[in-house]
Amino acid sequence: MTKARNGKKGRKTVKAAARKSAEKVFRLKSGKPAAKAAPSNGLPRPSSKPWGKAGRALEGVKILDFTHVQSGPTCTQLLAFMGADVIKVERPGIGDVTRMQLRDVKGADSLYFTMLNGSKRSITIDSKHRKGKEILERLVKKCDVLVENFAPGALDRMGLTWEHIHKLNPRMIVASVKGFGPGPYEDCKVYENVAQCAGGSASTTGFRDGPPLVTGAQIGDSGTGLHLCLGIVSALYQRVRTGRGQKVLCAMQDGVLNLARVKLRDQQRLKHGPLPEYSQYGEGVPFGKAVPRAGNDSGGGQPGWILKCKGWEQDPDSYVYFITQAPVWEAICHLIAKPHWKTDPDYATPPARLPRLRSIFDTIEQWTMTMTKFEVMEACNKFDIPCGPILSMKEIAEEPSLRETGTVVEVDHPTRGAYLTVGNPIKLSDSPADVRRSPLLGEHTDEILRDVLGYADREIAEIKTSGAVSAAEKKAAAA
Ligand code: CAO
């Protein structure tokens, strides 16, 4: 043994000497020092395994997933796509309430559930049952992160206070979504649209002459889940240094506000005068005290609007978003056959155009209406004019390039058959996502009790008759 080790050491010394002399020769020959390898900063040597074969990003991380509905499940599904082992804890006999919401196939888990819970395992545990609490505590000791989005106070009422969890497992990260942060509304239950309204999105969305509007993108639920994900990964990284877990909190109001931060920017700009990039400026409509709804105006410095394309009378999605980006203004004038606008002082510069945006877009629309949205896109792309076709969900579902990148994935399911889901929108070159179907309710209860928690077969049989993991057997045991 010692001999072998010495042998290796000897070989290493020889190799090191050879490397040094090679460096010397190189320096003498080229007159330049050889490029120095980057310092290791305590990291292991770069893997020599092929890309995508060195394990997935979050491999080895265990998530106790106590989430339901949308915000929490979005977060844990992303962690699962990144390779974490996500153990979804559900109430026996019922499960996540979304399993039954908006059902399209009788008797099968809804798409609402299946599209938010892929690549996870499901265990049923009654968290209010004595034995159920014991199982949960074992899970707390085994897992790295507990993620939850119950109503405020619900986790505490289960006996899983931060103090108790931290005592059971000081390394555990406890991540929560709540509707509001500490303050007057902290005890409120919150759903998507409440967050969109309280986070400033609804008041700034829609048309000036209409009511506030909520958006179809679930920025309150999925947006907050995404924020929570980043909090968790950061806490896992910090734990490498500190050895201890921490609480991670994302309030849905905060998440929405973060996504609507450009509107808080505009609120402050209002103090210094009207906002010229809002089309109401050009239309001579005075600004009030708060940021107005801006219709389809672009949120940045490059004016844009949604314009009709050929067939708009029949197809509600036959539109294109068109941006009159300053550097390509001359190309736009050329395309829409208004060459004199290139030099006309009323049109040639961005400030001159601002008060005329509505009529400029009306003119561009006369051109876009002669083509389909895809033809407009093709014509504009030749000149680097930024524009985007308004794609329907049907078109997105059928788009081959989204299938090729794994952004839209078809998975099979034992009770509902094949369904489409959105895969991992975040692509890692060394950690390909493994998108699997959602689990059936309690599908992995036995394997988690046995393989993760170490219960013996006899104990599992006892647990199953105790009512801690199965509503049906609980009734049978009571009969
Ligand atoms: N075993 C036994 N009981 C369980 C259980 C289990 N495995 N899992 C959950 N429960 C219980 C909870 O303990 C809680 O009971 P108590 O109120 O008696 O303590 C109860 O189920 C319901 O929890 P809840 O209040 O969170 O659920 P709700 O349907 O009434 O409210 C929601 C839903 C979303 C409004 C609320 O959870 C909430 O505000 N969450 C935070 C914000 C959030 O995430 N909103 C987004 C929702 S959509 O994505």
Side-chain angles (χ1 to χ4, degrees):
M1 191 74 183
T2 322
K3 241 186 182 177
R5 231 186 267 144
N6 280 346
K8 257 190 189 171
K9 207 174 167 187
R11 278 201 300 276
K12 270 187 188 167
T13 322
V14 173
K15 269 190 183 170
R19 205 171 40 237
K20 267 193 178 168
S21 76
E23 276 168 16
K24 236 184 195 172
V25 170
F26 176 76
R27 255 189 238 133
L28 285 175
K29 273 189 177 166
S30 65
K32 277 192 277 174
K36 257 194 184 169
S40 73
N41 291 335
L43 294 170
R45 290 238 301 266
S47 172
S48 55
K49 291 189 179 161
W51 296 106
K53 301 281 180 216
R56 280 177 296 143
L58 293 181
E59 207 164 287
V61 174
K62 279 204 165 3
I63 310 284
L64 198 176
D65 179 7
F66 229 153
T67 67
H68 64 159
V69 202
Q70 187 182 162
S71 62
T74 299
C75 166
T76 51
Q77 181 169 251
L78 282 169
L79 297 171
F81 289 163
M82 295 295 186
D85 179 10
V86 176
I87 298 171
K88 184 168 174 101
V89 176
E90 296 182 83
R91 207 194 303 223
I94 302 168
D96 187 323
V97 67
T98 59
R99 283 187 186 266
M100 276 171 282
Q101 280 179 0
L102 313 176
R103 265 191 172 164
D104 56 330
V105 177
K106 208 172 163 205
D109 289 330
S110 71
L111 285 166
Y112 195 3
F113 176 84
T114 54
M115 290 181 70
L116 286 163
N117 291 284
S119 303
K120 305 180 185 177
R121 298 200 275 175
S122 166
I123 178 172
T124 46
I125 304 175
D126 181 346
S127 64
K128 288 172 181 155
H129 187 283
R130 186 192 51 78
K131 191 72 183 169
K133 281 179 194 290
E134 179 200 299
I135 300 167
L136 264 176
E137 293 198 348
R138 272 212 203 192
L139 269 173
V140 167
K141 288 181 191 162
K142 284 279 176 186
C143 291
D144 301 280
V145 188
L146 184 158
V147 192
E148 64 93 21
N149 68 312
F150 289 123
L155 198 65
D156 290 0
R157 287 195 290 279
M158 287 178 194
L160 289 174
T161 60
W162 159 253
E163 291 74 19
H164 187 53
I165 294 171
H166 190 64
K167 211 160 144 194
L168 291 173
N169 179 359
R171 295 180 196 281
M172 174 155 268
I173 291 154
V174 179
S176 306
V177 169
K178 295 289 165 258
F180 293 93
Y185 304 121
E186 65 187 308
D187 291 328
C188 296
K189 288 189 175 185
V190 169
Y191 285 101
E192 170 69 46
N193 289 342
V194 177
Q196 287 200 25
C197 294
S201 173
S203 72
T204 53
T205 304
F207 289 92
R208 210 174 49 245
D209 50 3
L213 214 61
V214 294
T215 74
Q218 304 284 282
I219 58 176
D221 279 340
S222 289
T224 309
L226 194 49
H227 282 89
L228 192 72
C229 220
L230 177 59
I232 290 170
V233 175
S234 303
L236 280 168
Y237 191 69
Q238 188 175 5
R239 192 181 71 165
V240 174
R241 283 200 324 272
T242 63
R244 66 184 182 202
Q246 60 182 300
K247 289 187 274 183
V248 179
L249 171 68
C250 279
M252 294 167 76
Q253 182 184 38
D254 301 4
V256 171
L257 175 59
N258 185 37
L259 298 177
R261 71 169 53 219
V262 295
K263 299 296 178 179
L264 187 56
R265 171 200 69 192
D266 292 348
Q267 181 61 43
Q268 297 172 83
R269 289 171 61 220
L270 261 182
K271 282 193 207 125
H272 306 283
L275 309 172
E277 78 281 12
Y278 282 57
S279 39
Q280 81 176 68
Y281 170 75
E283 290 161 33
V285 179
F287 283 78
K289 289 200 165 74
V291 174
R293 291 185 268 290
N296 287 319
D297 285 331
S298 112
Q302 307 292 343
W305 198 257
I306 288 186
L307 307 177
K308 289 171 186 157
C309 294
K310 197 158 134 188
W312 66 273
E313 299 92 336
Q314 290 82 40
D315 177 0
D317 298 309
S318 192
Y319 287 82
V320 69
Y321 197 92
F322 195 100
I323 299 174
T324 55
Q325 197 200 14
V328 289
W329 176 245
E330 294 202 356
I332 294 171
C333 298
H334 163 74
L335 271 183
I336 64 170
K338 291 278 176 204
H340 57 286
W341 278 7
K342 293 181 195 172
T343 48
D344 184 332
D346 280 352
Y347 294 91
T349 64
R353 290 195 289 274
L354 281 178
R356 299 175 176 78
L357 283 181
R358 174 53 65 90
S359 75
I360 290 173
F361 280 121
D362 283 349
T363 309
I364 300 174
E365 191 171 60
Q366 293 306 310
W367 176 73
T368 58
M369 279 164 70
T370 64
M371 282 171 285
T372 68
K373 58 191 174 190
F374 299 109
E375 286 166 351
V376 172
M377 179 92 173
E378 207 183 319
C380 288
N381 278 352
K382 282 186 194 141
F383 296 93
D384 280 343
I385 300 167
C387 67
I390 309 303
L391 294 184
S392 68
M393 276 299 158
K394 183 172 184 301
E395 287 164 329
I396 287 174
E398 292 164 358
E399 172 57 43
S401 65
L402 293 175
R403 301 288 183 101
E404 272 158 34
T405 57
T407 296
V408 175
V409 186
E410 186 174 295
V411 283
D412 215 349
H413 190 275
T415 55
R416 68 169 302 118
Y419 66 96
L420 283 189
T421 191
V422 182
N424 194 353
I426 307 161
K427 319 290 188 206
L428 273 67
S429 65
D430 206 9
S431 179
D434 178 18
V435 181
R436 284 171 282 128
R437 71 164 171 87
S438 62
L440 299 173
L441 178 59
E443 184 177 343
H444 306 99
T445 300
D446 283 22
E447 74 177 44
I448 292 165
L449 290 174
R450 191 181 51 245
D451 302 342
V452 179
L453 301 178
Y455 285 105
D457 288 348
R458 181 187 44 81
E459 290 174 297
I460 294 175
E462 277 170 22
I463 287 170
K464 287 172 97 172
T465 50
S466 74
V469 296
S470 156
E473 289 177 37
K474 182 180 182 178
K475 274 192 207 132

